[in-house]
Amino acid sequence: AQKVTQAQTEISVVEKEDVTLDCVYETRDTTYYLFWYKQPPSGELVFLIRRNSFDEQNEISGRYSWNFQKSTSSFNFTITASQVVDSAVYFCALKSHGNTGKLIFGQGTTLQVKP
Amino acid sequence: EAGVVQSPRYKIIEKKQPVAFWCNPISGHNTLYWYLQNLGQGPELLIRYENEEAVDDSQLPKDRFSAERLKGVDSTLKIQPAELGDSAVYLCASSLEGRGPYNEQFFGPGTRLTVL
């Protein structure tokens, strides 16, 4: 069975602090894809990043960085120097290669960045 | 380029009433998804269309939910009759499948349904 676990329900930080959102996944597939989405108060899920199971290189995009470790089945997301605009719910998701396109989401982590 | 459009954004109805949600995907996207998002949870797939065909509706409660995607573009999701437990956000997403092993799904803003 496939499963995504985001153990942190809510995180509150002060602006300019760094924050890491954890994501642990379960799958028996050898090829799969991992995603992070941001859901601001407006409700629309915004795609942030996709990672293939065969590519364990970490990625940095501006203040965002992602740490993918197959050995621990984790795909963590770090925001450096957080800003108030980063306040949102963040979802980690898993998709198997060749399946119906179905995304398996975690329950989400609510991030509140205080000024 | 316009994103995924959904309407209405909010809907309040009494239980046992019917309700319908509409979705217009990104132009050219052949695959359309309906997801259900309960409060404090991640979205869960209800149904997936490839063009006009529903290829995965295993999670759709067919006794009261129905969906259609006429002409392979717009889609409508219907609930009849609605129950209190149907209160949630209904998200529509679309993607262009078939040109690679994976493709991002782009989401609409959702319809927030409240059943009283």
Side-chain angles (χ1 to χ4, degrees), chain A residues 79-98:
Chain A
I79 302 175
T80 303
S82 59
Q83 299 177 1
V84 173
V85 293
D86 295 327
S87 297
V89 182
Y90 290 86
F91 289 97
C92 181
L94 167 70
K95 176 183 176 297
S96 288
H97 176 69

Side-chain angles (χ1 to χ4, degrees), chain A residues 8-13 19-22 88 109-113:
Chain A
Q8 305 149 307
T9 304
E10 294 184 19
I11 301 176
S12 181
V13 299
V19 59
T20 295
L21 309 181
D22 298 333
T109 297
T110 300
L111 174 64
Q112 183 180 26
V113 182

Side-chain angles (χ1 to χ4, degrees), chain A:
Chain A
Q2 296 182 314
K3 185 179 179 181
V4 175
T5 301
Q6 295 179 255
Q8 305 149 307
T9 304
E10 294 184 19
I11 301 176
S12 181
V13 299
V14 177
E15 203 170 20
K16 298 184 182 179
E17 288 185 2
D18 298 347
V19 59
T20 295
L21 309 181
D22 298 333
C23 173
V24 174
Y25 62 92
E26 297 176 26
T27 181
R28 294 182 179 178
D29 297 321
T30 55
T31 302
Y32 52 89
Y33 310 96
L34 296 164
F35 302 79
W36 275 95
Y37 281 87
K38 175 182 180 180
Q39 188 174 43
S42 60
E44 186 171 333
L45 281 160
V46 178
F47 166 79
L48 295 178
I49 190 173
R50 173 193 63 241
R51 217 68 191 131
N52 311 330
S53 56
F54 46 85
D55 182 2
E56 287 193 69
Q57 280 190 337
N58 292 327
E59 184 160 337
I60 298 175
S61 177
R63 296 184 297 105
Y64 295 170
S65 63
W66 291 269
N67 185 331
F68 176 31
Q69 293 193 341
K70 288 182 73 171
S71 61
T72 57
S73 297
S74 65
F75 185 43
N76 297 337
F77 172 30
T78 297
I79 302 175
T80 303
S82 59
Q83 299 177 1
V84 173
V85 293
D86 295 327
S87 297
V89 182
Y90 290 86
F91 289 97
C92 181
L94 167 70
K95 176 183 176 297
S96 288
H97 176 69
N99 79 348
T100 61
K102 178 179 178 178
L103 285 171
I104 305 296
F105 285 87
Q107 69 271 35
T109 297
T110 300
L111 174 64
Q112 183 180 26
V113 182
K114 299 178 181 178

